[in-house]
Each structure stands twice: as structure tokens, then as C-alpha cells.
Amino acid sequence: MRVLGIESSCDETAAAVVEGQKVLSNTVLAQIDIHAEYGGVVPELASRAHIQNIMPVIDQALREADTTPQQLDAIAVTTGPGLIGGLLVGVSVAKGLAMGLGCPLIGVHHMEGHLMSPFLVDQGAGHDYPFVALLVSGGHTQLLHVKAFGNYVLLGQTRDDAVGEAFDKGARLMGLGYPGGPAISAQAEGGDRAKFRFPRVLLDRDKFDFSFSGLKTSVRSFVLKNEDVVADPQGCKDLAASYQEALVETLVIKSLSACEKTGSQRLVVAGGVGANARLREMLSKRAKRWGVEVFFPPLNMCTDNGAMIAYAGACRLARGEVSDPVELNARARWPIPELVAAG
Ligand code: KG4
Ligand code: ZN
């Protein structure tokens, strides 16, 4: 079964063709240049860029997969959550294609796409339920107990900023540019991560909610009081490494506690922040001590892409779920519990 996946919920225009768990093509056009000067995603500019780029991106994905539109068995598209303008572009194009080709259309929850990304073929992992999932992106920080495909219990989530947002805002304060995650990660290379101590906000130890706004405030006041550190090349490296360490350690502690609480020996990490090298390193090391096996998506599947949407769509289709091409609509807000309740 060949599925075209379309993703346009934030600042990447992406399309991919997936067959089973095999990725035949995966085209991603990032909009970094457009948003960099503003230090973050500007929704209106993102929508315009999606409109311009979506058809060429889909064409390229089909070409690289050596697939004609008529050979597609289904079309999957991110319907939410995300920026409404971008979502509408993807959903409109997917509806038109599905109607024109007469093939099934499946609306996909963006975070379910991320959740399935570690199972795309390069990773070689089968779906072995249950597991705990740490979903970490620019808009989300969540811990889920995944009992089966579509059956997710929300263990906890951020009460304020998402961790990707904390990376992005921290990078802006340090003058490191956008997107902040890769910038902080690069700057932290060669930095002393124990040089400055930032708080690990763990809230209630038995609960799995996160809070990153205090950490952001503490880095802001640090930067204001220590301009010399930021201006010094080694000082800035130490600052980035210390800040990253606080963010990463918070995620690691909470994730492993969630595994312990649910009796899970498997942990899946997904979303853009899952690309973070220090997170991968610390989590792999500590998980071993806890007897937990960690699955990360391949690096190019951590950030937004069409392959994860195609694959999650294929999993929905396998359960007989299709969307009505007339009724399907974009949803800026779509909490995971509502997805679960809908079946
Ligand atoms: O999943 P994603 O591509 O888009 C959303 O759904 O939000 O995640 C984007 C987020 C951004 O905040 C970006 O700074 C962060 O993921 N990110 C990283 C890294 N690569 C991307 N954060 C830390 N380390 C990275 N290497
Ligand atoms: Zn995402």
C-alpha cells in the first residue's frame, strides 16, 4: 500500500511516499530563511510559503518515489494541531488530490505522526506495545502511556512553554539565532555543562507535568547580569551547555520516572527536540541503568516530515478509518485525549 503523506502544520512544507514501513521518498522544504530575521515562525509568512511550495514538494516526493499519482493507494494529511493557515493549505490540497484521484483520504493528528516516526524502516523496530512516549517539539512536551496504536493515556504535559520553545527562546536570549534547538546544541559543543547551574523544575515527583517558563526567566536574568559571559566565546559555550543540560536532564528524569510508574521497559522519543544529541546521550546512558530500552527516530524523521504522517495515516487506514473529503477540516487545537475519545 503506497501512501502520500502531506505535512504543513508549522514551518516545513513536506511530502513523502511510504509503503508499509518503508520510506520511498521524503521531501522537506524548511522555511528557516523566511523566519530567521524574526527569531520565530511568522504564521502569515508560513502560510504563503506553504501555498507556493506545496505542489513542487509533492511533485518531487512522487518523482523520487518513482510513483505516479494514480499509483497512490491513499493520501494522508496533517489536520492539526498547528498553525491554522498552514494546515488549511495542506488539507485543501489533499482533499483536491483525493477527490480527483478517487482514493481514500485520512486526516492525521500531527503528534500521532511524530509518535509513529521511530517505526519507519531504518529504525527496524516493530510496534511492541505498551510503551512510554516522550513527545518533544516546538509546540508540545508530553509523556504518554501508549497501550496500542490509537490508545494513549496522557501522563503529563507542559503547563507553560514547550521544551522546543524553551530552546528557541533561550537561543534568542543568547543571540544564537533560529531555530534555537540546533543552535544551542552546536554552541554547547566544547562547553562546560556544569559551569552554571540552572534549575531542574520537577514539580510533583509522582506526576509528569513539566514547566519550563521559570528556566527561561532564569536564563534571561543571567544574560542581563552577565553580558561579559555571553560576549566571551567560551563563556557562551558554557552557558549554552549548562542551559541545555537543565532542559535535557528534566526530560530524562521525568521520562524514566514515567517508565517506572507504568512498568514500561520501552521508551519512544519523538519530535524535533528528539534530534538533540545530548538528550540522546544522557537518556541512553541512564535508561540502561533503569533497564529501559530507548527508541529514537532517525535524525531526519525527528523534525516535521511527510513520512511520519503517511505512516500514521496508513495505520489508521489499516483499521478501516477514512475521512470524508468534504467534511474533513483543519484543527488548530486538537488535544490528544480528544483523538483517543474519537477512537
Ligand atoms: O517537531 P518539530 O520539527 O516541529 C513542531 O512540531 O514544533 O520541532 C521543532 C522544534 C524547534 O523548537 C527546534 O528548536 C527543536 O524542535 N529542535 C531541537 C533540535 N532540532 C530541532 N531542539 C534541540 N536540539 C536539536 N538538535
Ligand atoms: Zn512536529
Side-chain angles (χ1 to χ4, degrees), residues 3-8 12-19 21-30 54 56-67 76 78 113-114 117-118 120-122 297-311:
V3 181
L4 171 70
I6 300 173
E7 157 62 40
S8 58
E12 267 107 6
T13 316
V17 180
V18 164
E19 189 165 47
Q21 278 170 270
K22 197 164 187 282
V23 181
L24 301 184
S25 66
N26 192 21
T27 307
V28 179
L29 194 66
I54 197 147
V57 163
I58 291 173
D59 275 344
Q60 189 178 330
L62 289 171
R63 224 177 16 253
E64 283 176 11
D66 205 9
T67 300
T78 303
H114 277 302
S117 60
L120 288 163
V121 78
D122 324 36
L299 281 181
N300 64 335
M301 301 283 167
C302 283
T303 42
D304 291 348
N305 64 85
M308 67 183 196
I309 301 303
Y311 185 51

Side-chain angles (χ1 to χ4, degrees), residues 220-287:
R220 176 179 292 123
S221 59
F222 181 96
V223 167
L224 288 175
K225 280 189 217 136
N226 299 277
E227 281 174 15
D228 53 326
V229 172
V230 184
D232 172 54
Q234 186 57 43
C236 193
K237 279 179 183 296
D238 296 341
L239 174 60
S242 302
Y243 180 64
Q244 173 176 261
E245 197 70 359
L247 290 171
V248 163
E249 192 166 28
T250 306
L251 296 175
V252 169
I253 292 171
K254 285 283 178 196
S255 304
L256 293 176
S257 309
C259 288
E260 188 181 39
K261 169 101 185 251
T262 54
S264 289
Q265 276 157 347
R266 274 185 307 274
L267 173 66
V268 161
V269 181
V273 181
N276 185 269
R278 180 63 186 147
L279 174 64
R280 287 174 173 242
E281 181 188 41
M282 191 194 288
L283 198 48
S284 304
K285 217 179 260 172
R286 293 207 194 165

Side-chain angles (χ1 to χ4, degrees), residues 185-219:
S185 180
Q187 189 70 14
E189 294 271 324
D192 177 356
R193 41 190 190 242
K195 182 86 180 179
F196 308 111
R197 179 80 191 167
F198 290 104
R200 278 73 169 149
V201 180
L202 296 172
L203 302 169
D204 188 336
R205 280 212 170 241
D206 290 331
K207 300 224 170 74
F208 303 103
D209 280 350
F210 299 89
S211 170
F212 293 109
S213 64
L215 182 54
K216 186 188 59 194
T217 308
S218 69
V219 83

Side-chain angles (χ1 to χ4, degrees), residues 318-340:
R319 297 170 13 141
E321 292 177 38
V322 287
S323 307
D324 181 324
V326 177
E327 296 290 322
L328 186 69
N329 219 336
R331 299 180 63 169
R333 228 182 78 76
W334 190 2
I336 289 255
E338 285 181 23
L339 170 72
V340 174

